[in-house]
Amino acid sequence: MKCIALRLITLFLAGSIFLNGSSAAMALSSADGHSSHPQGEPSSTFDKAEFLYWFKQCEHLQGQEALAACEQALKINPHVAAAWINHGQKLFNFRQYTKALISFENALLLKPDYSLGLANRCGILTVLGRYPEALDSCDMALIGDQQWGFSGQVLAWNNRGDTLIKLERYEEALASFQKSLAIDPNDVAAQQYRHVVLKKLNRRDHSQPQAPGFIPSQQESQIALVPY
């Protein structure tokens, strides 16, 4: 794990790593040496209050200010998986998909079973056209640590279904969206996707999706923040 931490720090200082994060409560837990912190790496050498300040700024700000805040948080402590997640989400908003993927991959180096990180990676890989890898990542998210940030498990089911649409595996996609709707019947994305898949299968949709003209595109994968 020490090698992983050194690799992360080296890449970050070289400008090749882009960062993303989690809730402040989760981040503080990680900073204290829990699950997101590499084993054997002490966390007592950084300012926790300053880290959490920049972490929250990353979460709440928009645009370049948010990216700068995320980077500042990770300069203070690059060992928090949650912080990599939120920076990756900001990069996703800028459509910097390859850079966002790097952020999620680094979160998963620190915390390999992180459900939110795996679901976000699934979404990014789908956008990049890497569908088999994306599907594996969503499946791993569903059996991961069940830490989902803002999103809940619906995120993984929706991203999984989106990937299956791209693969033209419509029956499996429909099953994924049904799983989402079983968890949250009011989830708009799942309703919209279900409507699209039923049209692909030449079946009537007896429900009333809120956006019946919705057409999935490369930008429809969902990437979630971790809340304060």
Side-chain angles (χ1 to χ4, degrees):
M1 293 305 293
K2 184 174 291 186
C3 292
I4 290 174
L6 290 172
R7 177 185 171 195
L8 292 173
I9 294 169
T10 300
L11 289 172
F12 175 72
L13 293 176
S16 299
I17 289 295
F18 299 85
L19 322 171
N20 199 0
S22 224
S23 75
M26 186 185 299
L28 183 57
S29 172
S30 299
D32 284 332
H34 294 151
S35 58
S36 295
H37 194 283
Q39 293 179 5
E41 293 291 337
S43 60
S44 59
T45 58
F46 74 96
D47 187 327
K48 293 177 185 177
E50 186 180 5
F51 169 78
L52 287 177
Y53 170 80
W54 289 111
F55 181 90
K56 288 184 279 187
Q57 292 296 302
C58 167
E59 178 186 343
H60 295 298
L61 293 175
Q62 299 296 320
Q64 292 294 336
E65 289 183 334
L67 290 177
C70 293
E71 289 165 6
Q72 187 61 34
L74 286 210
K75 284 181 182 178
I76 297 167
N77 184 5
H79 298 146
V80 180
W84 297 92
I85 295 297
N86 284 355
H87 186 270
Q89 192 271 346
K90 302 297 183 180
L91 288 165
F92 178 83
N93 290 344
F94 279 100
R95 301 190 179 186
Q96 296 185 35
Y97 301 128
T98 300
K99 292 179 179 180
L101 176 61
I102 293 171
S103 294
F104 300 142
E105 294 283 10
N106 279 281
L108 293 167
L109 282 174
L110 296 169
K111 195 173 181 183
D113 65 343
Y114 192 4
S115 287
L116 177 59
L118 290 160
N120 281 350
R121 184 176 69 176
C122 171
I124 287 288
L125 289 169
T126 298
V127 169
L128 294 172
R130 294 163 59 178
Y131 305 135
E133 294 171 80
L135 191 59
D136 286 344
S137 194
C138 268
D139 287 342
M140 291 169 64
L142 290 164
I143 60 172
D145 66 4
Q146 304 304 301
Q147 293 186 24
W148 295 104
F150 283 116
S151 62
Q153 200 176 80
V154 167
L155 175 74
W157 286 114
N158 284 350
N159 280 353
R160 184 178 189 274
D162 178 44
T163 305
L164 289 163
I165 289 175
K166 303 298 193 302
L167 291 167
E168 300 184 355
R169 292 162 58 177
Y170 300 125
E171 291 285 359
E172 293 171 80
L174 179 60
S176 288
F177 301 131
Q178 299 283 43
K179 288 280 191 180
S180 291
L181 292 168
I183 297 168
D184 181 2
N186 297 314
D187 185 75
V188 175
Q191 291 174 1
Q192 294 167 338
Y193 272 123
R194 181 179 181 275
H195 181 76
V196 169
V197 172
L198 287 171
K199 287 186 69 173
K200 294 281 188 183
L201 294 169
N202 295 313
R203 298 180 195 169
R204 287 191 62 187
D205 186 356
H206 298 288
S207 63
Q208 295 293 324
Q210 295 187 33
F214 171 83
I215 300 174
S217 71
Q218 284 196 324
Q219 281 69 49
E220 296 304 332
S221 294
Q222 298 179 66
I223 305 296
L225 281 164
V226 189
Y228 171 62

